[in-house]
Amino acid sequence: MILDSKIPAGPLAEKWTKHKFNSKLVNPANKRKYDVIVVGTGLAGASAAASLAELGYNVKAFTFHDSPRRAHSIAAQGGINAAKNYQNDGDSIFRLFYDTIKGGDYRAREANVYRLAEVSVKIIDQCVAQGVPFAREYGGLLANRSFGGAQVSRTFYARGQTGQQLLLGAYSALSRQVATGKVRLYPRTEMMDVVMIDGHARGIVTRNLITGAVETHAAHAVLLCTGGYGNVFFLSTNAMGCNVTAAWRAHKRGAYFANPCFTQIHPTCIPVSGDHQSKLTLMSESLRNDGRVWVPATKENAEKLRKGQIKVSDLKEEDRDYFLERKYPSFGNLVPRDVASRNAKYVCDEGRGVNETGEAVFLDFRDAIKRDGKQVIEQKYGNLFDMYKQITGEDPYEVPMMIYPAVHYTMGGLWVDYNLMTTIPGLYSLGEANFSDHGANRLGASALMQGLADGYFVVPYTIGDYLAQTPPKKVDESHPEFAKVAQEVKARINRLLTINGKKTVDHFHKKLGKIMWNHCGMARTAEGLKQAKAEIQELRKEFWADVKVLGTNEELNLSLEKAHRVADFLELGELMVDDALNRDESCGGHFREEYQTPEGEALRDDENFAYVAAWKYMGEGQAEELNKEPLVFENVKLTQRSYK
């Protein structure tokens, strides 16, 4: 299959405007005849459902949470990027576009990224109109701060809870449409499969998480807004419920999966404390605006710190190595996440880590508090400091935070064209669930931007072009394909419940997570990836032979929910390894140790790997087929990334 990205012709700055004009429209009276399913109610899903209902479409919105407000979008604390140039410091749409392309190590589509930068300016106006309480300067204008990979201040924020406030804005818009009857909300309902009729997505099969009832829902188009798959690593900054199931079931029905190995490791997380943990806690990247990252300059002092023989306050300025500021003077502590994470790993591997495990570095606010005063720092980051103190028992106003990289975001996802449609006609993917905007590394504060851009400003236009060519005849759940897929879902549920093995679902998830982190995490090698592939295949066989799923289907059954998700993670994990093994280069968050510069930076191979790797499912037990979408750069020059 030739991957047609449907990128419009013409100059970069005119593509989106021309594309909107050239797209077919559905007139307002006809919009009432079309049904659209939206799976997921985070920022991408809630904004899409609200916008489509506002336009007049009939929308069904599904979430496995009890309320859309619990979507994991709330965890994006630090801010949202937009090229408003309120600080008059040289920002522009093109600069945001360039920073995003460069930050993603030149592995994203130019056209999609430029559109993202272009609509970013509208997102802020939309959210202010909804009442989102962005921070403001003394005179009342919206405030900005900096994030990694940029030398301008373009990040709008609401203290350390930006995602939560933006989600409340989208939720209010969604609730209004629920009240008008244009959106029907299905909480505590999980999508189990996609239903296709004549090659087009025409509905989904779901499981009611309270009663276990397997149900079918028909529509003219389906939107997957189901987030990322970082929980394949077990320990990540994602909420425990985050999963890949909706995207993976779509993949097995024919939707290509793109760049699955592109995983972002966030440098600013509270370090692992033991095997008892079920997730990790993210400390916002915004903290690197004022916090300075350092470790002891010598292994001896680091060892003394770990043993409690000396205190942090005993180390003089000359005993400290501010390694990011030393290596990257132009960007300092605000280098992109992949660069900051790798360098934290390097100094810890040298034996200069600072907590008991030796896997942590300091994030120190001593100088910022001296410079600006405690009250100013409290206004900016107070809730984050409180959270850190509650978790660790240490007061970051008095002693430096300790941080270490952890799995955070997945740049890979379902392949989509410029219209956000997957390789299945009528099936769209928005937000983190698709691959489209971030290349091999997402810049901080761009996740919220992409989710809202896709939901508020992209899919409301592009879905019309598809529906205008789709007869408005009602799609009926009585079609035999719905019963067939529902039966397949029930058979899968029954299979899991009747294995009756000896090991818990979490046992398998933890084992998979360790394999993925050790061999397909912050650093990868061909040898390690081959070992991981063999181990995952063995683990999957063991799972289907010896997993113990408690309870029955006809009840609230967390064990069964997890079993479905872990079964999908076991298959996804192998594809991630295959993708990492295929890509014989380093780029962004994909760091193959065989391919690095003398300074330890990622070494790309643009001649052979400047493409999107889109994988096609070929059937149970079959190797997936690699399809390539070449990446063409007409507006930026491919260069070795430098933040020095």
Side-chain angles (χ1 to χ4, degrees), residues 321-387:
D321 178 15
Y322 298 95
F323 56 92
L324 293 178
E325 296 173 33
R326 170 173 57 80
K327 288 182 73 174
Y328 308 98
S330 290
F331 283 75
N333 296 300
L334 286 172
V335 290
R337 292 172 177 177
D338 60 317
V339 177
S341 295
R342 269 198 301 280
N343 280 276
K345 182 179 186 296
Y346 291 156
V347 295
C348 291
D349 288 348
E350 289 170 359
R352 295 194 284 149
V354 295
N355 72 347
E356 291 175 6
T357 64
E359 293 188 333
V361 299
F362 286 129
L363 182 61
D364 195 344
F365 290 83
R366 180 195 67 177
D367 295 344
I369 291 169
K370 274 185 192 172
R371 182 185 66 237
D372 299 330
K374 182 179 175 183
Q375 188 177 1
V376 170
I377 300 302
E378 200 168 11
Q379 284 173 348
K380 288 182 179 178
Y381 316 112
N383 60 317
L384 297 171
F385 276 46
D386 291 345
M387 185 167 68

Side-chain angles (χ1 to χ4, degrees), residues 527-574:
E527 185 184 349
L529 290 165
K530 286 171 185 171
Q531 182 184 335
K533 185 176 172 75
E535 289 181 9
I536 293 169
Q537 287 176 336
E538 194 57 42
L539 188 64
R540 190 161 74 244
K541 282 182 198 165
E542 189 187 345
F543 174 87
W544 286 106
D546 201 26
V547 72
K548 177 83 171 179
V549 181
L550 301 169
T552 66
N553 177 57
E554 291 71 31
E555 62 180 345
L556 177 64
N557 189 337
L558 295 178
S559 180
L560 179 59
E561 285 176 42
K562 284 183 187 177
H564 284 299
R565 296 166 185 173
V566 172
D568 294 329
F569 279 141
L570 284 162
E571 294 178 5
L572 167 71
E574 187 174 347

Side-chain angles (χ1 to χ4, degrees), residues 190-194 205 207 212 214 243-250 252-253 483-500 505 540 543-544 547 549 552-553 559-572 617 620:
E190 182 149 33
M191 177 188 138
M192 305 303 291
D193 218 328
V194 178
V205 175
R207 178 176 179 269
V214 173
N243 64 84
V244 76
T245 290
W248 192 252
R249 303 293 168 80
K252 294 179 82 167
R253 293 287 174 188
K484 178 174 173 284
V485 178
Q487 193 53 47
E488 289 171 8
V489 168
K490 289 174 184 175
R492 185 182 173 91
I493 291 169
N494 188 57
R495 185 183 174 194
L496 284 167
L497 288 168
T498 54
I499 293 170
N500 202 26
V505 178
R540 190 161 74 244
F543 174 87
W544 286 106
V547 72
V549 181
T552 66
N553 177 57
S559 180
L560 179 59
E561 285 176 42
K562 284 183 187 177
H564 284 299
R565 296 166 185 173
V566 172
D568 294 329
F569 279 141
L570 284 162
E571 294 178 5
L572 167 71
Y617 180 75
E620 198 71 36

Side-chain angles (χ1 to χ4, degrees), residues 162-394:
T162 314
Q164 183 173 354
Q165 297 301 330
L166 290 171
L167 186 63
L168 288 171
Y171 174 68
S172 66
L174 176 64
S175 297
R176 178 171 173 267
Q177 296 306 319
V178 171
T180 65
K182 292 303 291 181
V183 173
R184 187 169 176 190
L185 188 62
Y186 292 82
R188 303 297 286 149
T189 304
E190 182 149 33
M191 177 188 138
M192 305 303 291
D193 218 328
V194 178
V195 178
M196 291 172 60
I197 299 173
D198 299 328
H200 290 245
R202 287 290 182 257
I204 61 173
V205 175
T206 62
R207 178 176 179 269
N208 183 309
L209 297 182
I210 305 295
T211 67
V214 173
E215 297 160 341
T216 56
H217 301 271
H220 296 92
V222 177
L223 277 58
L224 300 185
C225 314
T226 50
Y229 49 87
N231 276 354
V232 68
F233 292 87
F234 187 71
L235 282 181
S236 81
T237 65
N238 289 193
M240 286 187 69
C242 293
N243 64 84
V244 76
T245 290
W248 192 252
R249 303 293 168 80
H251 174 56
K252 294 179 82 167
R253 293 287 174 188
Y256 287 14
F257 211 102
N259 299 337
C261 80
F262 285 171
T263 307
Q264 179 163 86
I265 314 293
H266 198 295
T268 319
C269 300
I270 296 178
V272 176
S273 58
D275 286 340
H276 63 282
Q277 282 182 276
S278 57
K279 76 175 297 293
L280 298 173
T281 303
L282 172 69
M283 300 309 296
S284 169
E285 181 176 314
S286 63
L287 295 168
R288 289 197 277 142
N289 270 281
D290 290 298
R292 300 181 71 191
V293 179
W294 66 276
V295 289
T298 65
K299 285 200 284 188
E300 292 74 24
N301 278 338
E303 200 170 320
K304 286 178 183 176
L305 266 179
R306 289 196 294 269
K307 290 179 178 176
Q309 294 170 354
I310 59 173
K311 296 178 180 175
V312 182
S313 54
D314 295 331
L315 292 174
K316 297 173 184 165
E317 196 65 14
E318 58 269 25
D319 297 327
R320 303 174 173 212
D321 178 15
Y322 298 95
F323 56 92
L324 293 178
E325 296 173 33
R326 170 173 57 80
K327 288 182 73 174
Y328 308 98
S330 290
F331 283 75
N333 296 300
L334 286 172
V335 290
R337 292 172 177 177
D338 60 317
V339 177
S341 295
R342 269 198 301 280
N343 280 276
K345 182 179 186 296
Y346 291 156
V347 295
C348 291
D349 288 348
E350 289 170 359
R352 295 194 284 149
V354 295
N355 72 347
E356 291 175 6
T357 64
E359 293 188 333
V361 299
F362 286 129
L363 182 61
D364 195 344
F365 290 83
R366 180 195 67 177
D367 295 344
I369 291 169
K370 274 185 192 172
R371 182 185 66 237
D372 299 330
K374 182 179 175 183
Q375 188 177 1
V376 170
I377 300 302
E378 200 168 11
Q379 284 173 348
K380 288 182 179 178
Y381 316 112
N383 60 317
L384 297 171
F385 276 46
D386 291 345
M387 185 167 68
Y388 182 88
K389 186 176 180 181
Q390 285 177 20
I391 291 170
T392 66
E394 294 188 334

